[in-house]
């Protein structure tokens, strides 16, 4: 029977090799946040302590949120692409709010727990939101830029979120051991 199964798997693989990948969801890797927070975690042994005993929790929240977003999308069988910030900057924004990148048209962008964005990434994000793009911030909303300083006022104007209150609420949720806290922002919520 294995020969028949092998032939079937081979034909199926051949047929699938002619398809095109067409994910409609992009997940922005919070690279700037990870780099800025990772520098603070100077002692390895803090990584194995329980969350509430760790001195630097923001990187842990970012990691948990990124894993949570990607696992949730997989659980509901939604295909997605992970996009790094330099790739995000190469993308174009269409008139109808889609993110166009290397032949893909992403209809929705998830930003998992980004505390920091470069000024250029923020400008592209603002362009996407103003064009009607669907953007979902999960947990932290970026409020700082290493090259511009505070983005809080601009981000509050762009999203209508009171960032200090929102950040405090996210920290309370993680302190209470809640692993998921979702809220959608931008035009065209999830």
């Amino acid at each position: 029977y294995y020969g028949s199964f092998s032939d079937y798997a081979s034909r199926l693989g051949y047929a699938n090799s002619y398809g095109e990948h067409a994910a409609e969801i992009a997940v922005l890797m919070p690279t700037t946040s990870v780099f800025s927070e990772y520098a603070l975690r100077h002692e390895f042994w803090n990584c194995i302590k329980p969350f509430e005993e760790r001195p630097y929790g923001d990187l842990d929240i970012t990691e948990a949120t990124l894993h949570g977003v990607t696992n949730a999308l997989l659980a509901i069988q939604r295909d997605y692409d992970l996009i790094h910030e330099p790739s995000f900057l190469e993308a174009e924004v269409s008139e109808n709010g889609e993110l166009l990148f290397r032949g893909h048209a992403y209809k929705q962008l998830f930003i998992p727990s980004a505390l920091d964005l470069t000024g250029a990434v923020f400008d592209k994000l603002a362009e996407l939101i103003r064009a009607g793009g669907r953007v979902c911030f999960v947990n932290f909303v970026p409020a700082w830029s290493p090259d511009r300083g505070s983005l809080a006022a601009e981000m509050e104007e762009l999203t209508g979120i009171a960032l200090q209150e929102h950040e405090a609420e996210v920290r309370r949720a993680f302190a209470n051991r809640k692993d998921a806290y979702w809220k959608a922002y931008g035009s065209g919520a999830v």
Side-chain angles (χ1 to χ4, degrees), residues 6-158:
S6 179
D7 290 342
Y8 172 75
S10 178
R11 287 191 305 273
L12 190 60
Y14 177 77
N16 285 335
S17 69
Y18 284 94
E20 285 189 33
H21 175 73
E24 294 183 347
I25 298 172
V27 177
L28 183 67
M29 293 287 293
T31 311
T32 303
S33 294
V34 170
F35 287 160
S36 66
E37 293 302 317
Y38 188 75
L40 295 176
R41 189 191 283 181
H42 60 276
E43 187 179 331
F44 170 77
W45 295 109
N46 288 330
C47 300
I48 61 172
K49 292 180 181 176
F51 175 76
E52 61 275 356
E53 295 176 17
R54 293 180 189 164
Y56 305 109
D58 291 349
L59 181 59
D60 300 305
I61 293 172
T62 299
E63 289 173 3
T65 304
L66 178 60
H67 291 290
V69 167
T70 56
N71 289 340
L73 290 171
L74 289 173
I76 62 172
Q77 300 181 3
R78 296 301 307 244
D79 199 10
Y80 63 91
D81 287 336
L82 290 171
I83 297 182
H84 293 276
E85 291 175 0
S87 299
F88 180 69
L89 292 175
E90 289 179 29
E92 296 177 14
V93 176
S94 71
E95 292 176 5
N96 60 349
E98 291 181 343
L99 189 65
L100 307 174
F101 179 67
R102 296 185 182 171
H104 295 281
Y106 300 107
K107 296 181 179 179
Q108 188 162 13
L109 176 68
F110 281 84
I111 303 178
S113 206
L115 291 163
D116 311 310
L117 291 177
T118 64
V121 171
F122 174 78
D123 291 341
K124 180 68 74 172
L125 179 62
E127 179 186 356
L128 179 64
I129 292 172
R130 288 186 181 116
R134 295 177 1 172
V135 177
C136 180
F137 295 98
V138 184
N139 289 334
F140 290 126
V141 178
W144 183 260
S145 172
D147 53 349
R148 286 194 193 165
S150 177
L151 297 172
E154 293 172 274
M155 189 61 82
E156 285 181 3
E157 179 184 328
L158 193 61

